[in-house]
Amino acid sequence: MDGDGRSQVSLAELIALRARVGRVRMAPLLSRAVRSGQQSSRLYGRGMDYAESRVYQAGDDVRRLDWRLTARSGKLHTKLFQEDREGCLLILLDTHASMRFGTQVRFKSVQAARAAACAAWYAVRAGERVGVMAFGHAEQLLRPQGGPRGALAVCGALAEWDALPTPDPDKAESLTDALTRAGRVLHGASRVLLISDGFSGDASVRQRLLDLTRHAAVSVLVVADALELALAPPGRYPLEHAGERSEVLLQSERQRREFQRALGAGPARLAELAQSLNLRWSRIDTVADPLTSITGLFGVARTAR
Protein backbone atom coordinates (compact mmCIF):
# COMPACT_ATOMS: atom_id res chain seq x y z
CA MET A 1 0.00 0.00 0.00
CA ASP A 2 1.41 3.38 -1.01
CA GLY A 3 2.10 5.95 1.71
CA ASP A 4 0.10 9.15 2.14
CA GLY A 5 3.04 11.42 1.35
CA ARG A 6 2.64 13.18 4.70
CA SER A 7 3.60 10.84 7.52
CA GLN A 8 4.64 8.01 5.19
CA VAL A 9 6.69 8.00 2.00
CA SER A 10 4.68 7.71 -1.21
CA LEU A 11 6.44 5.58 -3.81
CA ALA A 12 4.23 6.98 -6.56
CA GLU A 13 5.31 10.51 -5.67
CA LEU A 14 9.01 9.58 -5.67
CA ILE A 15 8.69 8.03 -9.13
CA ALA A 16 6.71 11.01 -10.42
CA LEU A 17 9.61 13.31 -9.52
CA ARG A 18 11.42 11.90 -12.56
CA ALA A 19 9.33 14.10 -14.86
CA ARG A 20 10.13 17.25 -12.88
CA VAL A 21 13.85 16.51 -12.83
CA GLY A 22 13.68 15.86 -16.57
CA ARG A 23 12.62 19.47 -17.16
CA VAL A 24 15.51 20.93 -15.16
CA ARG A 25 18.32 22.58 -17.07
CA MET A 26 21.37 20.55 -16.15
CA ALA A 27 24.30 22.48 -14.70
CA PRO A 28 27.85 21.56 -15.75
CA LEU A 29 28.96 18.56 -13.70
CA LEU A 30 31.35 19.41 -10.91
CA SER A 31 34.83 17.96 -10.83
CA ARG A 32 34.83 14.44 -9.44
CA ALA A 33 38.51 14.77 -8.55
CA VAL A 34 39.00 14.94 -4.80
CA ARG A 35 40.95 17.99 -3.73
CA SER A 36 41.51 19.56 -0.33
CA GLY A 37 38.93 22.04 0.85
CA GLN A 38 36.27 20.62 -1.48
CA GLN A 39 36.90 23.37 -4.02
CA SER A 40 34.89 22.24 -7.02
CA SER A 41 35.38 23.12 -10.65
CA ARG A 42 34.53 21.86 -14.12
CA LEU A 43 36.73 18.96 -15.05
CA TYR A 44 38.14 18.79 -18.55
CA GLY A 45 39.89 15.73 -19.84
CA ARG A 46 40.24 13.68 -22.99
CA GLY A 47 36.68 12.42 -23.15
CA MET A 48 34.38 12.59 -26.16
CA ASP A 49 31.96 15.34 -25.03
CA TYR A 50 32.91 18.80 -26.26
CA ALA A 51 32.80 21.43 -23.48
CA GLU A 52 34.15 24.73 -24.86
CA SER A 53 37.06 26.37 -26.69
CA ARG A 54 39.61 28.82 -25.35
CA VAL A 55 42.68 30.67 -26.59
CA TYR A 56 45.63 28.33 -27.20
CA GLN A 57 48.11 28.10 -24.32
CA ALA A 58 51.65 26.76 -24.34
CA GLY A 59 51.61 23.00 -23.87
CA ASP A 60 48.14 22.45 -25.38
CA ASP A 61 47.76 19.44 -27.66
CA VAL A 62 47.87 20.77 -31.22
CA ARG A 63 45.57 17.91 -32.26
CA ARG A 64 42.82 19.64 -30.24
CA LEU A 65 42.97 22.93 -32.10
CA ASP A 66 39.60 24.47 -32.99
CA TRP A 67 40.32 25.38 -36.60
CA ARG A 68 36.96 27.01 -37.28
CA LEU A 69 37.20 29.39 -34.33
CA THR A 70 40.86 30.00 -35.12
CA ALA A 71 39.95 31.01 -38.69
CA ARG A 72 37.15 33.31 -37.53
CA SER A 73 39.10 35.02 -34.75
CA GLY A 74 42.60 35.01 -36.22
CA LYS A 75 43.92 33.51 -32.97
CA LEU A 76 44.72 29.91 -32.16
CA HIS A 77 42.00 28.23 -30.05
CA THR A 78 41.99 24.81 -28.35
CA LYS A 79 38.97 22.56 -27.83
CA LEU A 80 38.29 21.33 -24.29
CA PHE A 81 36.36 18.13 -23.64
CA GLN A 82 34.31 16.99 -20.64
CA GLU A 83 35.88 14.06 -18.85
CA ASP A 84 34.14 10.85 -19.82
CA ARG A 85 34.72 9.04 -16.54
CA GLU A 86 31.48 7.64 -15.05
CA GLY A 87 30.50 9.28 -11.80
CA CYS A 88 28.78 7.67 -8.83
CA LEU A 89 26.58 9.20 -6.12
CA LEU A 90 26.00 7.62 -2.71
CA ILE A 91 23.12 9.08 -0.70
CA LEU A 92 23.31 8.78 3.10
CA LEU A 93 19.78 8.94 4.52
CA ASP A 94 18.98 9.57 8.18
CA THR A 95 16.12 7.35 9.45
CA HIS A 96 16.25 8.18 13.17
CA ALA A 97 13.03 8.74 15.12
CA SER A 98 13.73 12.49 15.15
CA MET A 99 13.08 12.50 11.40
CA ARG A 100 9.49 11.32 11.98
CA PHE A 101 8.38 14.77 13.02
CA GLY A 102 6.65 17.58 11.22
CA THR A 103 4.24 20.43 11.93
CA GLN A 104 3.63 21.60 8.37
CA VAL A 105 2.60 19.52 5.32
CA ARG A 106 4.79 16.44 5.97
CA PHE A 107 7.28 14.70 8.25
CA LYS A 108 10.99 15.40 7.88
CA SER A 109 11.44 11.73 6.98
CA VAL A 110 9.10 12.13 4.00
CA GLN A 111 10.81 15.32 2.86
CA ALA A 112 14.21 13.62 3.16
CA ALA A 113 13.00 10.76 0.94
CA ARG A 114 11.68 13.24 -1.63
CA ALA A 115 15.05 15.00 -1.68
CA ALA A 116 16.88 11.67 -2.03
CA ALA A 117 14.65 10.70 -4.97
CA CYS A 118 15.31 14.05 -6.67
CA ALA A 119 19.04 13.48 -6.22
CA ALA A 120 18.78 9.98 -7.66
CA TRP A 121 16.88 11.09 -10.77
CA TYR A 122 19.26 14.03 -11.23
CA ALA A 123 22.33 11.80 -10.94
CA VAL A 124 21.20 9.17 -13.46
CA ARG A 125 20.15 11.89 -15.87
CA ALA A 126 23.72 13.17 -15.64
CA GLY A 127 25.01 9.69 -16.51
CA GLU A 128 26.02 8.71 -12.99
CA ARG A 129 25.34 5.58 -11.00
CA VAL A 130 23.43 6.08 -7.73
CA GLY A 131 23.08 4.15 -4.50
CA VAL A 132 21.65 4.86 -1.05
CA MET A 133 22.65 3.91 2.49
CA ALA A 134 20.16 4.30 5.35
CA PHE A 135 21.34 4.82 8.93
CA GLY A 136 19.53 5.17 12.22
CA HIS A 137 16.59 2.84 12.69
CA ALA A 138 17.07 1.34 9.23
CA GLU A 139 20.63 0.18 8.54
CA GLN A 140 20.40 -0.73 4.89
CA LEU A 141 22.50 -0.39 1.75
CA LEU A 142 21.46 -0.33 -1.89
CA ARG A 143 24.56 -0.63 -4.03
CA PRO A 144 24.99 1.95 -6.83
CA GLN A 145 23.30 1.22 -10.15
CA GLY A 146 23.11 3.19 -13.37
CA GLY A 147 20.28 4.44 -15.55
CA PRO A 148 16.57 4.79 -14.76
CA ARG A 149 16.60 1.36 -13.11
CA GLY A 150 19.10 2.69 -10.61
CA ALA A 151 16.87 5.62 -9.65
CA LEU A 152 13.79 3.38 -9.53
CA ALA A 153 15.63 1.02 -7.21
CA VAL A 154 16.48 3.95 -4.93
CA CYS A 155 12.83 5.07 -4.87
CA GLY A 156 11.69 1.56 -4.02
CA ALA A 157 14.22 1.26 -1.23
CA LEU A 158 13.23 4.63 0.25
CA ALA A 159 9.56 3.60 0.44
CA GLU A 160 10.37 0.12 1.75
CA TRP A 161 12.69 1.35 4.50
CA ASP A 162 10.23 4.03 5.58
CA ALA A 163 7.59 1.34 6.15
CA LEU A 164 9.82 -0.77 8.43
CA PRO A 165 8.70 -1.04 12.08
CA THR A 166 10.58 1.21 14.47
CA PRO A 167 13.15 -0.84 16.47
CA ASP A 168 14.65 -0.07 19.86
CA PRO A 169 15.87 3.59 19.79
CA ASP A 170 18.95 2.61 21.83
CA LYS A 171 20.10 0.40 18.94
CA ALA A 172 19.88 3.08 16.26
CA GLU A 173 23.10 3.72 14.35
CA SER A 174 24.66 7.13 15.10
CA LEU A 175 25.79 9.58 12.43
CA THR A 176 29.42 8.95 13.41
CA ASP A 177 29.06 5.20 12.95
CA ALA A 178 27.17 5.74 9.70
CA LEU A 179 29.95 7.89 8.25
CA THR A 180 32.48 5.25 9.26
CA ARG A 181 30.39 2.58 7.52
CA ALA A 182 29.99 4.80 4.46
CA GLY A 183 33.76 5.02 4.16
CA ARG A 184 33.88 1.23 3.87
CA VAL A 185 31.07 0.85 1.35
CA LEU A 186 31.67 3.75 -1.05
CA HIS A 187 31.88 1.32 -4.00
CA GLY A 188 33.74 3.87 -6.09
CA ALA A 189 31.38 6.75 -5.25
CA SER A 190 32.84 10.08 -6.28
CA ARG A 191 30.10 12.09 -4.58
CA VAL A 192 28.29 11.66 -1.27
CA LEU A 193 25.07 13.42 -0.26
CA LEU A 194 24.23 13.37 3.45
CA ILE A 195 20.55 14.04 4.26
CA SER A 196 19.92 14.44 7.99
CA ASP A 197 18.48 16.63 10.74
CA GLY A 198 21.73 16.35 12.69
CA PHE A 199 20.29 15.08 15.98
CA SER A 200 22.23 11.81 15.82
CA GLY A 201 25.59 13.57 15.61
CA ASP A 202 28.27 13.80 18.29
CA ALA A 203 31.75 15.25 18.73
CA SER A 204 33.31 12.64 16.42
CA VAL A 205 31.22 13.56 13.38
CA ARG A 206 33.61 16.30 12.29
CA GLN A 207 36.56 13.92 11.93
CA ARG A 208 34.47 11.29 10.16
CA LEU A 209 33.26 13.86 7.64
CA LEU A 210 36.85 14.97 7.06
CA ASP A 211 37.87 11.35 6.49
CA LEU A 212 35.08 10.94 3.95
CA THR A 213 36.09 14.06 2.01
CA ARG A 214 39.43 12.41 1.25
CA HIS A 215 37.61 9.91 -0.95
CA ALA A 216 34.60 11.79 -2.34
CA ALA A 217 33.06 15.22 -2.71
CA VAL A 218 30.63 15.56 0.20
CA SER A 219 27.42 17.63 0.20
CA VAL A 220 25.01 18.06 3.10
CA LEU A 221 21.26 18.68 3.07
CA VAL A 222 19.99 19.72 6.50
CA VAL A 223 16.32 18.82 6.99
CA ALA A 224 14.39 20.81 9.61
CA ASP A 225 10.82 21.53 10.66
CA ALA A 226 9.46 25.07 10.75
CA LEU A 227 9.44 25.03 14.58
CA GLU A 228 13.14 24.10 14.53
CA LEU A 229 14.01 27.09 12.37
CA ALA A 230 11.95 29.98 13.76
CA LEU A 231 10.08 31.10 16.88
CA ALA A 232 6.66 29.54 17.27
CA PRO A 233 3.67 31.88 17.67
CA PRO A 234 2.30 32.06 21.25
CA GLY A 235 -0.07 29.20 22.08
CA ARG A 236 -0.48 25.59 23.20
CA TYR A 237 1.32 22.90 21.23
CA PRO A 238 0.44 19.19 21.48
CA LEU A 239 3.47 16.93 21.13
CA GLU A 240 3.86 13.18 20.95
CA HIS A 241 7.06 11.27 21.70
CA ALA A 242 7.55 7.52 22.11
CA GLY A 243 3.80 7.05 22.17
CA GLU A 244 3.27 9.58 24.96
CA ARG A 245 1.34 12.79 24.35
CA SER A 246 1.92 16.06 26.13
CA GLU A 247 1.15 19.74 25.71
CA VAL A 248 3.61 22.63 25.70
CA LEU A 249 2.43 26.12 26.62
CA LEU A 250 4.46 28.88 24.95
CA GLN A 251 3.56 32.43 25.90
CA SER A 252 6.57 34.68 26.51
CA GLU A 253 9.26 35.34 23.92
CA ARG A 254 11.81 33.76 26.26
CA GLN A 255 9.83 30.51 26.43
CA ARG A 256 9.44 30.44 22.67
CA ARG A 257 13.11 31.17 22.09
CA GLU A 258 14.30 28.46 24.47
CA PHE A 259 11.86 26.00 22.90
CA GLN A 260 13.11 26.80 19.40
CA ARG A 261 16.75 26.56 20.49
CA ALA A 262 16.22 23.12 22.02
CA LEU A 263 14.06 21.84 19.19
CA GLY A 264 16.42 23.12 16.49
CA ALA A 265 19.72 22.11 18.09
CA GLY A 266 20.38 19.22 15.68
CA PRO A 267 19.87 21.09 12.39
CA ALA A 268 21.81 24.08 13.72
CA ARG A 269 24.82 21.94 14.67
CA LEU A 270 24.90 20.11 11.36
CA ALA A 271 24.61 23.35 9.37
CA GLU A 272 27.42 24.97 11.37
CA LEU A 273 29.61 21.89 10.91
CA ALA A 274 29.07 21.76 7.14
CA GLN A 275 29.85 25.45 6.84
CA SER A 276 32.98 25.22 9.00
CA LEU A 277 34.31 22.39 6.81
CA ASN A 278 33.55 24.39 3.63
CA LEU A 279 31.23 21.67 2.34
CA ARG A 280 28.49 22.35 -0.15
CA TRP A 281 25.31 22.45 1.92
CA SER A 282 21.74 23.59 1.99
CA ARG A 283 18.88 23.73 4.47
CA ILE A 284 15.31 22.66 3.72
CA ASP A 285 12.08 22.64 5.72
CA THR A 286 9.13 20.28 5.29
CA VAL A 287 7.24 22.63 2.96
CA ALA A 288 9.90 23.65 0.42
CA ASP A 289 10.54 22.07 -2.98
CA PRO A 290 13.47 19.63 -2.53
CA LEU A 291 14.37 19.85 -6.20
CA THR A 292 15.50 23.45 -5.72
CA SER A 293 17.94 22.41 -2.99
CA ILE A 294 19.25 19.42 -4.94
CA THR A 295 19.92 21.40 -8.12
CA GLY A 296 21.69 24.02 -6.02
CA LEU A 297 23.90 21.44 -4.34
CA PHE A 298 24.75 19.65 -7.58
CA GLY A 299 25.23 22.82 -9.63
CA VAL A 300 28.11 25.27 -9.74
CA ALA A 301 26.85 27.89 -7.29
CA ARG A 302 26.92 27.21 -3.56
CA THR A 303 23.52 27.05 -1.88
CA ALA A 304 23.61 28.00 1.79
CA ARG A 305 20.59 29.66 3.26
Side-chain angles (χ1 to χ4, degrees), residues 33-41 212-219 277-280 302:
V34 179
R35 36 174 69 96
S36 61
Q38 295 293 299
Q39 297 298 319
S40 301
S41 64
L212 204 57
T213 60
R214 296 190 178 97
H215 305 283
V218 179
S219 300
L277 294 177
N278 198 32
L279 303 179
R280 298 179 67 86
R302 178 184 298 277

Side-chain angles (χ1 to χ4, degrees), residues 55-287:
V55 175
Y56 176 85
Q57 298 177 3
D60 285 348
D61 190 341
V62 294
R63 294 172 297 179
R64 300 284 182 172
L65 288 178
D66 187 336
W67 293 109
R68 291 185 179 181
L69 185 55
T70 296
R72 290 200 305 267
S73 65
K75 295 181 179 179
L76 286 174
H77 279 74
T78 301
K79 290 182 178 180
L80 299 178
F81 293 82
Q82 196 82 30
E83 187 186 46
D84 58 1
R85 207 169 27 159
E86 182 185 36
C88 179
L89 170 68
L90 179 64
I91 302 169
L92 306 184
L93 182 72
D94 192 338
T95 63
H96 281 88
S98 62
M99 296 289 287
R100 293 186 178 272
F101 174 76
T103 61
Q104 294 186 22
V105 182
R106 56 182 65 89
F107 280 5
K108 290 186 291 184
S109 56
V110 175
Q111 184 71 308
R114 295 171 77 230
C118 286
W121 288 119
Y122 192 102
V124 299
R125 187 182 171 205
E128 297 184 322
R129 292 179 296 124
V130 61
V132 59
M133 188 191 96
F135 67 96
H137 292 311
E139 297 182 21
Q140 306 284 343
L141 173 65
L142 177 68
R143 297 176 185 274
Q145 303 175 52
R149 288 186 179 181
L152 282 171
V154 169
C155 292
L158 294 173
E160 179 184 343
W161 298 343
D162 182 75
L164 292 175
T166 303
D168 185 351
D170 295 332
K171 297 180 180 179
E173 184 181 29
S174 70
L175 178 54
T176 294
D177 291 341
L179 293 173
T180 301
R181 178 161 64 101
R184 298 195 298 264
V185 298
L186 278 176
H187 296 293
S190 49
R191 292 197 291 171
V192 171
L193 172 62
L194 170 63
I195 304 177
S196 172
D197 64 3
F199 280 107
S200 61
D202 56 29
S204 301
V205 169
R206 182 184 182 88
Q207 185 58 51
R208 295 296 178 270
L209 273 175
L210 280 173
D211 293 342
L212 204 57
T213 60
R214 296 190 178 97
H215 305 283
V218 179
S219 300
V220 178
L221 181 61
V222 182
V223 185
D225 181 73
L227 288 184
E228 297 171 341
L229 297 176
L231 294 183
R236 296 178 181 272
Y237 291 85
L239 297 176
E240 182 176 344
H241 177 68
E244 297 184 3
R245 295 188 177 185
S246 60
E247 191 176 72
V248 177
L249 176 62
L250 302 176
Q251 292 290 359
S252 68
E253 182 177 345
R254 178 180 178 182
Q255 289 176 321
R256 292 153 55 210
R257 194 171 299 281
E258 289 178 351
F259 180 77
Q260 186 270 325
R261 185 180 298 113
L263 203 61
R269 285 197 304 267
L270 184 56
E272 291 171 2
L273 177 59
Q275 191 166 13
S276 69
L277 294 177
N278 198 32
L279 303 179
R280 298 179 67 86
W281 72 280
S282 183
R283 184 187 292 117
I284 188 173
D285 61 23
T286 59
V287 179

